């Protein structure tokens, strides 16, 4: 993989740390800013909403700039709002910084996905995607647990300062090493790309990505209260669980990147079935610490393995939209990132207990399997007459 791709992964590491670190800080933020835990969980949903709106919008805006210029603009904005978030004493302001930071993150990731896949061979999109998303998984392994530890030692604001500091070397590295070619040099117009995004295969893939990612974020957002109030872990155990989830996600992304280009369907079907069983088993055994340790690792691997494969399949399906594909793939995943915590928060607010997000995660994956199965069956039925006609003509 090209060296510039790993530098993009460094920036994605900082952004992934910001997006995921609230899982270990929800209770601290709720206490400090005098809001409920479900309300504090809305910070994750707000970030996701900003990603949903920002991904396609910023992908369109970035067509006017060089890739390097767009990436730097988005990353500097991301850095600045984290400084503001670390300083504010208002939950409303913090919520606003999450939205603006998400817009910048969305724009960066949309351009980074396009840049990453343009740096490799046309049949290596899965490997390029997994390499870029390795920054997210490393954020789970190192950045998120470190954020939780910082939050416990010096308060949640220290985690925001850490994200801002991590972003500085990423800015310098991208300025020096990323090619500055214009994203919109050649290829279809923006309107042409938007038309290409209406293809059924792409729409189904984006929907599946939203559902699977919704399941991941539903549980991950509320992992800290689940671990401390159901599983019996102390606050010191939360960073360990977050790190295990990150290790699992790194394993999942790395393993799926090796096979996603050649055998995506078996990976998606088998991985999704295993993911559904895992969420159900997690809900049943959440009071047993040993089971939780194992399942956090396994579910992290399955969630990110399936999720990264869906992203690469969206990029393959969007051949007529080479620049906006990354934006819409990012938006779809963050529809899930908004939907999951919102559904989990509803379940918690309804008094269903801290296991409820696990049940919601299982339902979302089950829905993804149903949608995927229906789409696959319909595609095969549509292909059968064409195949029969081809045999008759021969």
């Amino acid at each position: 993989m090209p060296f510039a791709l790993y530098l993009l992964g460094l920036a994605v590491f900082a952004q992934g740390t910001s997006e995921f670190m609230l899982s270990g800080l929800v209770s601290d933020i709720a206490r400090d800013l005098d809001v409920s835990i479900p309300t504090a969980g809305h910070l994750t949903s707000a970030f996701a909403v900003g990603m949903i709106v920002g991904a396609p919008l910023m992908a369109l805006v970035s067509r006017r700039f060089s890739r390097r210029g767009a990436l730097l603009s988005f990353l500097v904005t991301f850095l600045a709002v984290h400084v503001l978030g670390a300083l504010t004493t208002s939950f409303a302001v913090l919520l606003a910084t999450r939205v603006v930071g998400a817009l910048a993150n969305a724009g960066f990731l949309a351009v980074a996905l396009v840049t990453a896949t343009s740096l490799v061979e046309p049949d290596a999109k899965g490997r390029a995607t997994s390499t870029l998303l390795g920054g997210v998984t490393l954020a789970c392994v190192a950045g998120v647990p470190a954020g939780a530890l910082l939050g416990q030692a010096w308060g949640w604001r220290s985690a925001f300062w850490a994200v801002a500091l991590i972003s500085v070397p990423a800015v310098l590295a991208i300025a020096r090493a990323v090619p500055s070619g214009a994203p919109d040099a050649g290829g279809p117009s923006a309107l042409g790309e938007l038309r290409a995004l209406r293809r059924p295969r792409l729409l189904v893939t984006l929907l599946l990505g939203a559902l699977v990612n919704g399941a991941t974020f539903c549980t991950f957002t509320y992992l800290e209260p689940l671990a401390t109030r159901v599983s019996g872990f102390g606050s010191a155990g939360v960073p360990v669980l977050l790190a295990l989830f990150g290790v699992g996600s790194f394993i999942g992304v790395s393993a799926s990147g090796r096979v996603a280009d050649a055998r995506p369907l078996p990976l998606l079907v088998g991985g999704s079935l295993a993911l559904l069983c895992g969420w159900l088993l997690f809900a049943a055994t959440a009071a047993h610490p040993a089971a939780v340790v194992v399942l956090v690792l396994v579910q992290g691997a399955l969630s990110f393995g399936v999720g990264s494969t869906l992203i690469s399949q969206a990029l393959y399906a969007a051949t007529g939209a080479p620049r906006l594909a990354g934006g819409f793939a990012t938006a779809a995943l963050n529809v899930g990132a908004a939907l999951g915590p919102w559904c989990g928060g509803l379940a918690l607010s309804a008094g269903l207990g801290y296991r409820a997000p696990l049940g919601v995660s299982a339902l979302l994956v089950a829905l993804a399997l149903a949608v995927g199965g229906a789409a696959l069956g319909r595609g095969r039925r549509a292909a059968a007459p064409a195949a029969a006609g081809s045999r008759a003509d021969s």
Side-chain angles (χ1 to χ4, degrees):
M1 293 287 105
F3 181 65
L5 189 51
Y6 294 99
L7 296 178
L8 292 174
L10 174 63
V12 172
F13 167 76
Q15 294 167 352
T17 298
S18 173
E19 185 169 8
F20 292 134
M21 70 183 181
L22 295 189
S23 298
L25 304 173
V26 168
S27 295
D28 192 12
I29 292 173
R31 284 193 300 270
D32 186 36
L33 300 182
D34 195 24
V35 296
S36 67
I37 287 178
T39 298
H42 292 164
L43 291 169
T44 300
S45 296
F47 196 95
V49 169
M51 293 282 284
I52 294 165
V53 175
L57 180 61
M58 295 299 103
L60 284 169
V61 171
S62 69
R63 289 169 59 94
R64 300 175 176 270
F65 304 97
S66 70
R67 289 177 180 171
R68 184 167 60 199
L71 291 169
L72 288 174
S73 297
F74 291 136
L75 190 54
V76 169
T77 300
F78 178 84
L79 188 161
V81 297
H82 277 75
V83 172
L84 178 58
L87 294 172
T88 187
T89 58
S90 165
F91 181 79
V93 172
L94 182 61
L95 192 66
T97 66
R98 296 302 286 172
V99 174
V100 175
L103 290 171
N105 188 354
F108 182 93
L109 189 55
V111 178
L113 281 169
V114 174
T115 303
T117 54
S118 71
L119 294 173
V120 299
E121 297 299 320
D123 61 349
K125 288 183 172 64
R127 288 168 57 201
T129 300
S130 66
T131 300
L132 184 66
L133 294 182
V136 178
T137 63
L138 289 175
C140 293
V141 174
V144 175
L149 287 171
L150 285 173
Q152 291 173 10
W154 294 298
W156 63 269
R157 299 174 193 280
S158 63
F160 278 71
W161 282 115
V163 169
L165 291 174
I166 293 170
S167 299
V168 173
V171 169
L172 298 176
I174 289 171
R176 291 179 60 87
V178 173
S180 60
D184 60 344
S189 65
L191 183 58
E193 291 199 39
L194 288 171
R195 290 191 182 120
L197 293 170
R198 297 181 296 180
R199 293 177 179 174
R201 177 190 166 193
L202 175 60
L203 294 176
V204 170
T205 304
L206 294 177
L207 176 58
L208 295 179
L211 291 171
V212 170
N213 208 45
T216 304
F217 271 79
C218 181
T219 293
F220 193 77
T221 298
Y222 301 105
L223 182 60
E224 180 259 337
L226 173 73
T228 57
R229 305 183 189 196
V230 176
S231 305
F233 289 94
S235 59
V238 174
V240 176
L241 291 178
L242 295 173
L244 281 174
F245 188 90
V247 170
S249 66
F250 182 78
I251 292 171
V253 165
S254 300
S256 66
R258 299 175 185 273
V259 298
D261 294 311
R263 304 189 66 193
L265 186 58
L267 191 157
L268 290 173
V269 174
S272 297
L273 286 170
L275 194 55
L276 172 60
C277 294
W279 289 131
L280 292 172
L281 183 61
F282 202 161
T285 61
H288 302 280
V292 170
V293 167
V294 173
L295 287 168
V296 162
L297 177 70
V298 170
Q299 293 303 94
L302 291 170
S303 295
F304 277 79
V306 173
S308 64
T309 301
L310 286 168
I311 293 177
S312 65
Q313 287 304 298
L315 296 175
Y316 276 118
T319 54
R323 301 163 194 87
L324 297 187
F328 277 85
T330 300
L333 292 181
N334 283 279
V335 167
L339 176 67
W342 180 71
C343 291
L346 286 179
L348 289 172
S349 297
L352 299 180
Y354 289 103
R355 296 176 193 242
L358 294 164
V360 174
S361 293
L363 287 174
L364 290 172
V365 174
L367 182 57
L369 282 165
V371 170
L376 184 60
R378 182 177 179 180
R380 287 178 174 173
R381 288 193 298 271
S390 177
R391 287 194 297 269
D393 291 339
S394 63

